[in-house]
Every structure is written in C-alpha cells, then in structure tokens.
Amino acid sequence: MSPAPRPSRRQFLTTGLLAAGSAAALSACSAPADSATPVPTITPVPPTDVGIPTTGPAGDSWAPQPLDAGALSVLAAQRGDRLLLHTVGGDRDFWAGVGLSAALPGHLRTDHAPGVGDYRRWFGLMAELGVRLVRLDTLEAPALYEALASHNDATPESPLYLLQGVSVPALAATTGRARSFAEHTKEMSAAIADASAAIHGDLRRRDTSVTPRGSWSADVSPWVAAWLVGASWNPDAVLVTDRGASSSAPFSGRYFMTMPGATATERWIAARMEELAAHEAKRGCCVPIGAANHPATDPLTHPEEPNADEDRVGVDVNHIGVLTAWPAGTFAAYTAMPYDPTFLRHQASYAESDDPYRAYLQDLRTHHSSLPLLITETGVPSSLGQSNLGANDRNEGFLSEQQMMKVDADLLTMLRDLGCTGGLLSAWNDDWSASSRPTAPRVEKIPPARRALWHDPLTSGQWFGLLAHDVARGGQKVVHDAPTDEMTRVVTDHDAAYLYLTFYFTRRVTSPVDVGFDLYGSDGLRLPGGSGDPKYDVALQLVPTMSTVTMYVRRTLDPTRLDGLPSLFLPRATLRGWVDQQLTLSGPVESPGGDDVVPAEMQRVGELVMGSWDPTDQGFDSRATWQLVRPDPMAPMEWRVRLPWSMLTFADPTRRLGLIPNLGEPTLLTVRGMDVTIESSTPGSPASFTLPVPTWDDPPATTERLKAGSEVLRAAFADTASHTAG
C-alpha cells in the first residue's frame, strides 16, 4: 500500500472544540511538555477528514494492518465519534474486551505472581471466549508481554490487542493528604517513558524501588490499539490541583493542547498525553491516546448526589485538543459501573427513566458528542455478598455466575447500541486481594498479604472475574459418628472460602434443626429454638417445611456494629437475642433538597441460598450455601451446608483470628476450636462435637474454569466484534 499523504499542519483532529462550535485551535508547533504559549486562531476541518484512508471491506481476519501517515505507522485512529482499528478484515469500530491484572489466588497484584505459562493459558481462553481487547491499567511484568507476543505470533489472524494504561498509585489515592498532581509529575513522566519503552521491548528495570522489575524484551507495539493516561482521579486531588495553579494559560504542545478555560488538572493531563505521544512518535508509532475518568469527576452536574465528594469537581477531556501531528486522535474514557455512583438512584432524570445507567451513558455521549466514548470498565460480580444495588438487577453482588455473565453480555450489547466505541469488562479473573466497602471494616487489621490467602464470598470486589479459581478442599473428617442414632454421622471439610458440614439422617427431616457454634468460650446465647446452654456465638436454623436456613450471630458480635451506623439503623435482635447476619450497603442518606432520610440499606446474607455448588450440576448456583439431598432411597438424608469463614466471625481464618467488635472498633481473638451442638427432634439429639479450625500460610491449590453462563457472553463478544465501520 502506498503511503497516505501526510496531514497538513493546518489540519487537526478536534475534541470538544468542534463540539462547542468554536473556530479556535492551536497550531501544531513544538513546545516543551509543560509550556504555555499563545493560541493562534485557525480554521478547523471536519473531524472525519484527517488525511488517513480507512481499510478495506470487513472480513474474518483481525490481523493488524496499520496505515502510513508520513513517518508514523497508525494502527488505530479517531474518525469523528468512533475509534477505528485497522485490520486486514476491515476497520473495527467497536472494541469489546476485558481488564487483566497480575491477580493470582494467594498473592497481591504487586507480587506480579503470574508467569508466562499463566498468561499464555489465559490468552488462549480469552481467544476462545471472543475477547479482542485487553485493558492493562498500568505497566505489568515482562511475563505478560512475552506471553502476548508468543500468543499473537501463534495466532496472527486473531491476535489480542492492548489498551495500555499508564498511571501511578498516587493519582487515585484516597488516603492521606490530597496533593496536587503537579507534585507527581516526575513520577508520572518516568512511568510514561518506561511504559513506552516496555511495549517496544526496550526496558530494563533492575536496581529500582519501582515495580515491576525485570527486562522487557518482547515488542508488542504491533498490537497496542490505544493508550490510557491516568486513573480514577481523586476528587480532592483535582480540587487541590485546580485551586493551587499559578497560571491559567492554555497548554500547547506539538501533539496535544488545551482550550482556553481548561483547568489546571486538564492542562496537567494534556501535558502527560503530549509526553507519551512524543515517546511513541520517536519510535514511529501512533495510536489514539485518551485520559481516564470516572463518575466522581465527570464534567456533568448531579444536583441530587447525596455524597458531596461525588460532584465537587469535574475533569473534561473536551478541553483537550489533539493536533494533526498526532493523526490517531483521542477519545473520552470512563470507568462506569451500572450500580455506582449514588446519583444514578437519586437524580430524577436517571431514577425516573427505565434504565438509569443507560440514561447516564447517553448524557456522557451527548456531552462528548464529537469524541469516541470508550467505557474502559464495567460489569458485575458473582459474589454472595453485595456492595451496591443497581437498577434492572445490575447489582454489585448477589448474582449467580450465570446471572453475572448475562448482565455482562447485555452491557456490551447496550454500549454498542448506544454508539459507544467500545466496552471492557472489569476483570479477567477473580482477585482475592480486592476489598469492598461493606466488609472492609472487618478486615482492616489484617495485613493485605494475609487477606489474599482466602477468598471471601461476602466481598464483592473479589468476584468480578470471568475466570473462576475453584479452591481445593483440605479433606473430609468425620467429627461425629453415632450409627444407632437417627443422625448417624457428621462430616466436615474446608477450603479457603468455606467450612463444609454434612449431616447424615436415617430418615427425612421435617422439624426444625438448630446448630450452635461456640467459638470464644465465653457467655453466649441459647440455640435459636431456646434449648441448650447460653454459650453459642453463631447459629443456624433449618426449617425444612419452609425450605429455609438462617444464619445468626449474637448481637454483641454483629460486625455491622463496625460500620458507623446510627443505633436506630443497627440490626435488631429478632430471636432470643440472635441477629440475622447482614451487610451494610449504605448508611442513611439525605438527598440534597429532599426532606426525607433514606434509611440504611442492608443485605440479609443470613438468609442462606438453597442449591448446588457443584459447577458440573445443571442446577449449579455459585451463591448456594445449603441443600437437602438423598442420593438414593436406601441412602441417608443429607443436609449439606457450606458456611463462609467471614460469617463464622473470622477476620482471618488462615491464622484462626476471630473478629470482636468493641466500641465500634475491631479487635482480634484467636479461635482454638469450635464446639458445635445440633438440636433436632430425632433420637440421639442433641449431639455435640468439636470442629478443628485449620490454618494455612501458603496460597491454596486451585483449578481454573470459565464461569457458568460463558456461552452467553461468548455470543455477545461475537456479535459486537462483527461491528465494522461503514
């Protein structure tokens, strides 16, 4: 193919400038990264006329087919409100994918534990699922890029592409004193230089405090579709940056500039985008560069937002323009989850619509009308516990794997139908090290490295992955054996998420069954039915005729007492001093301008879910925690339960550390063993036994599988991937 003509220096790609109907722009002059120069007036050209032709008709091949723009090789480019990925099979204008990090069971992300073999295996599974784009929020270890190059070399017609992020932790940090982004310029500039060098296979990090370390020798630049600068900006840091600026002059670089009136934060972001473009241009590469954002710092107004921090400041990429020296253009990028932030439920324009989330995305599309809108993170988790409620059952948690996959599939289709240029789901695999607001107070005294050794079903942030890590069990033990009684046997087992108990009965169970757990050897409560000594800390009650099992905790051990709730909203004891176990999703809030207080929202996790937790069963429900089964007419009736360690009041089961709320603060106490009593109407009742409490220091053994319902998501990836530019 003959080279395309180099764009005129008077042509430029526009963002919010054209959307606002302005005729002002900056020339493509060269300037130091943070310089501010006067803005000449020129006549803009339509955003679709950038001097680069599109590729030919659509086909099956996704092999890269970059176009030439002078000395630059352009793999992808902005055309109006679309991003086009130039492939042999045509220009792809909807990019569907998933985020990937160095998450591995038993490890922190910063351990960078996955090896080349892990990534190669995952990339193969991604390809089978139909993933085309992988989001990396920051530079990852060399193993990832080596595995990607190897995978793509082996599958040249269907490679995986990268959306490579560049950030430093300080940009999104919400703890400690908020600092101006200008204080992090040196650190961010170094991260940009390293990321550019790494994707070209030209980075060595050895004696440095910066992680990851190693040697990046694999050149993956042929498959980098776009860059993303920054993170989910801390609103306090944005405010400090904007208020502390010494100058309001626009930024002007060779590749990027800002409009008059751009904030200091926006000028700082544009300067970092300029630096990245300069590094890539030196290597002859050119793809779209966007800036990260999220609802807390979006440029829209949300007057009904009850959390003032979520609507104090805005970052608007419409104020950042891209010049024709960078023909790949730019785009607007948002992390936009379907259940967060709070204004989705309180702002009338959203709450009164059939789909508040869709209405919000449409507002973003309207605001950035001349820019491609890429949703860089969305999706829901398959956890037992919840963190947020969303409209149309798009909740953050309490979704089965099949429900999660269906919601994720529907989100991709909706983004395509809305005219977004792409959507990326949150995470490829579950991240055991992640935290969530409702459970964070319960583990705040546990070191992060210890938290990563177990998988909490109540912590929604750990369950966003499309890939599940099923944990190997420790091995069954008989803890009660009474062959002449109607409850003949009790067998226990455990893994890094649950304690398993199976109770064997010689006949069908029809009357209520109580089970009490004494963990701390101090004063407690009688069983929920009223019998037994007052010594139990946690209890179960099975009501077979109602097909219900409820899990209780005694009121003084209720972990919601750590959540800062006014006493009026604390769970009340409902049964002989027992409290059914709950999670605090949100405290009471008052919407601005409203007269009513919206009560605290709670999830009643103590209402256990009946079903099968065997992924091979047709009726598999990943949330299931109990079942009544009789394998055959001659076999005993089996009551099986699996109880999350966190619902047995453990803050750290790996070290047998229990959680005791004390005046609103968490305290830890070692659990030596659990004395258990089961009370029913059967002969031989009550029965008591002691459960050993395991410990572990190493990452547990796991097996991997795509979560149930993946065929629905596979169809959505295939459907949206077929979308090509006309």
Side-chain angles (χ1 to χ4, degrees):
M1 176 181 295
S2 60
R6 184 177 179 86
S8 162
R9 291 174 61 85
R10 292 180 59 84
Q11 292 178 312
F12 75 106
L13 302 173
T14 63
T15 56
L17 179 66
L18 289 183
S22 173
L26 292 178
S27 66
C29 59
S30 177
D34 277 303
S35 65
T37 57
V39 184
T41 300
I42 65 172
T43 302
V45 296
T48 55
D49 181 12
V50 297
I52 300 177
T54 60
T55 59
D60 293 334
S61 176
W62 278 71
Q65 185 170 302
L67 305 178
D68 292 333
L72 297 177
S73 174
V74 183
L75 175 61
Q78 173 192 359
R79 188 176 74 181
D81 64 353
R82 311 300 293 177
L83 291 179
L84 304 184
L85 177 65
H86 304 314
T87 73
V88 171
D91 284 337
R92 314 290 179 166
D93 70 347
F94 187 83
W95 302 1
V98 67
L100 178 62
S101 69
L104 202 64
H107 295 276
L108 301 175
R109 291 187 182 190
T110 50
D111 294 339
H112 298 283
V116 173
D118 297 309
Y119 287 120
R120 276 301 308 268
R121 184 175 64 255
W122 294 345
F123 291 149
L125 290 171
M126 287 182 190
E128 291 179 15
L129 193 59
V131 172
R132 297 294 184 181
L133 184 68
V134 177
R135 184 193 75 248
L136 303 178
D137 293 329
T138 188
L139 181 64
E140 295 292 349
L144 186 151
Y145 302 94
E146 181 181 337
L148 181 70
S150 177
H151 171 85
N152 285 351
D153 285 342
T155 57
E157 297 305 311
S158 55
L160 290 170
Y161 290 91
L162 286 184
L163 171 63
Q164 178 66 59
V166 188
S167 186
V168 293
L171 301 184
T174 56
T175 58
R177 180 177 68 87
R179 299 176 181 272
S180 169
F181 294 136
E183 296 184 35
H184 306 297
T185 298
K186 182 177 179 181
E187 182 184 8
M188 184 63 174
S189 296
I192 289 169
D194 282 358
S196 177
I199 65 106
H200 291 278
D202 189 23
L203 176 65
R204 309 291 182 269
R205 272 183 182 171
R206 293 297 187 187
D207 300 324
T208 174
S209 60
V210 179
T211 59
R213 301 180 185 91
S215 297
W216 286 256
S217 57
D219 183 358
V220 298
S221 60
W223 306 288
V224 174
W227 289 87
L228 191 65
V229 173
S232 295
W233 313 106
N234 175 5
D236 290 333
V238 172
L239 197 63
V240 169
T241 303
D242 292 347
R243 288 178 174 176
S246 59
S247 171
S248 61
F251 166 78
S252 176
R254 174 173 174 78
Y255 306 104
F256 288 90
M257 51 75 154
T258 60
M259 314 302 176
T263 66
T265 295
E266 292 156 0
R267 299 194 300 272
W268 186 88
I269 294 171
R272 307 289 78 75
M273 295 167 72
E274 173 77 14
E275 290 176 358
L276 177 56
H279 284 295
E280 286 297 288
K282 288 178 182 177
R283 299 176 182 271
C285 289
C286 184
V287 294
I289 299 176
N293 209 345
H294 64 138
T297 54
D298 72 24
L300 308 179
T301 300
H302 308 289
E304 290 91 355
E305 169 57 62
N307 183 351
D309 287 340
E310 299 287 343
D311 199 42
R312 285 192 301 166
V313 293
V315 175
D316 194 349
V317 294
N318 284 4
H319 297 155
I320 300 175
V322 57
L323 306 172
T324 48
W326 194 252
T330 187
F331 57 97
Y334 286 86
T335 291
M337 312 307 282
Y339 43 75
D340 190 48
T342 313
F343 62 68
L344 289 177
R345 302 173 60 196
H346 295 281
Q347 186 167 322
S349 61
Y350 300 146
E352 295 173 1
S353 69
D354 293 337
D355 190 335
Y357 180 60
R358 183 186 180 99
Y360 173 61
L361 294 177
Q362 185 59 62
D363 279 356
L364 289 178
R365 279 274 293 141
T366 300
H367 182 82
H368 299 296
S369 58
S370 66
L371 278 175
L373 176 61
L374 181 64
I375 302 303
T376 54
E377 183 175 359
T378 189
V380 293
S382 61
S383 54
L384 176 64
Q386 289 180 323
S387 293
N388 288 286
L389 299 177
N392 302 326
D393 297 321
R394 301 188 194 114
N395 302 316
E396 186 182 3
F398 198 63
L399 297 171
S400 69
E401 290 181 4
Q402 297 92 327
Q403 290 170 330
M404 167 193 158
M405 291 293 202
K406 178 64 164 60
V407 171
D408 283 356
D410 290 345
L411 289 173
L412 290 179
T413 301
M414 182 182 71
L415 293 173
R416 188 270 314 273
D417 293 345
L418 271 172
C420 297
T421 202
L424 292 99
L425 301 174
S426 294
W428 169 246
N429 57 330
D430 287 340
D431 180 1
W432 293 19
S433 69
S435 62
S436 293
R437 186 186 62 253
T439 57
R442 308 179 184 198
V443 295
E444 68 174 44
K445 291 194 172 182
I446 307 301
R450 300 299 307 191
R451 296 202 302 263
L453 290 173
W454 63 291
H455 199 12
D456 183 19
L458 300 189
T459 300
S460 62
Q462 297 184 10
W463 300 82
F464 277 94
L466 309 182
L467 187 76
H469 299 281
D470 293 332
V471 194
R473 297 196 197 176
Q476 292 188 349
K477 294 181 180 179
V478 177
V479 292
H480 176 74
D481 192 16
T484 61
D485 293 340
E486 289 199 3
M487 190 187 74
T488 61
R489 194 161 47 117
V490 180
V491 175
T492 184
D493 206 341
H494 76 277
D495 61 26
Y498 297 96
L499 171 71
Y500 296 81
L501 289 168
T502 302
F503 303 91
Y504 294 85
F505 297 88
T506 59
R507 62 178 176 85
R508 184 167 174 257
V509 178
T510 57
S511 58
V513 179
D514 289 346
V515 182
F517 298 83
D518 177 8
L519 289 85
Y520 301 107
S522 59
D523 292 339
L525 298 174
R526 300 182 188 276
L527 294 171
S531 63
D533 297 328
K535 64 177 184 178
Y536 301 107
D537 303 306
V538 177
L540 295 174
Q541 186 171 66
L542 162 67
V543 182
T545 55
M546 300 292 291
S547 295
T548 62
V549 174
T550 305
M551 192 167 184
Y552 299 98
V553 64
R554 62 181 170 95
R555 185 178 61 85
T556 54
L557 293 180
D558 180 8
T560 63
R561 301 169 75 84
L562 303 173
D563 298 339
L565 292 172
S567 58
L568 175 65
F569 296 101
L570 285 172
R572 301 296 180 186
T574 57
L575 185 66
R576 296 181 175 87
W578 291 105
V579 174
D580 59 322
Q581 298 208 29
Q582 300 183 45
L583 284 177
T584 303
L585 306 187
S586 67
V589 297
E590 181 177 351
S591 181
D595 298 326
D596 299 327
V597 174
V598 179
E601 292 181 333
M602 316 292 289
Q603 181 196 2
R604 304 175 78 95
V605 291
E607 297 176 354
L608 301 189
V609 178
M610 182 171 63
S612 170
W613 49 81
D614 183 349
T616 64
D617 285 351
Q618 185 175 0
F620 167 62
D621 188 336
S622 53
R623 302 165 300 172
T625 42
W626 76 277
Q627 53 186 278
L628 276 175
V629 297
R630 193 161 199 165
D632 62 69
M634 301 303 294
M637 174 71 71
E638 299 176 17
W639 177 33
R640 303 170 183 169
V641 297
R642 63 170 184 170
L643 308 176
W645 289 112
S646 51
M647 293 181 67
L648 288 164
T649 73
F650 282 94
D652 180 5
T654 73
R655 293 183 295 168
R656 300 178 181 158
L657 293 180
L659 175 67
I660 311 290
N662 183 15
L663 300 177
E665 295 295 326
T667 58
L668 304 177
L669 187 65
T670 300
V671 177
R672 301 299 179 185
M674 287 187 282
D675 293 329
V676 182
T677 297
I678 178 168
E679 168 76 46
S680 68
S681 61
T682 61
S685 177
S688 298
F689 49 89
T690 298
L691 288 178
V693 181
T695 62
W696 61 96
D697 294 315
D698 298 319
T702 61
T703 56
E704 297 174 348
R705 61 176 174 83
L706 288 175
K707 290 185 178 178
S710 61
E711 65 280 356
V712 176
L713 186 57
R714 183 180 289 108
F717 275 124
D719 180 48
T720 56
S722 66
H723 204 269
T724 54

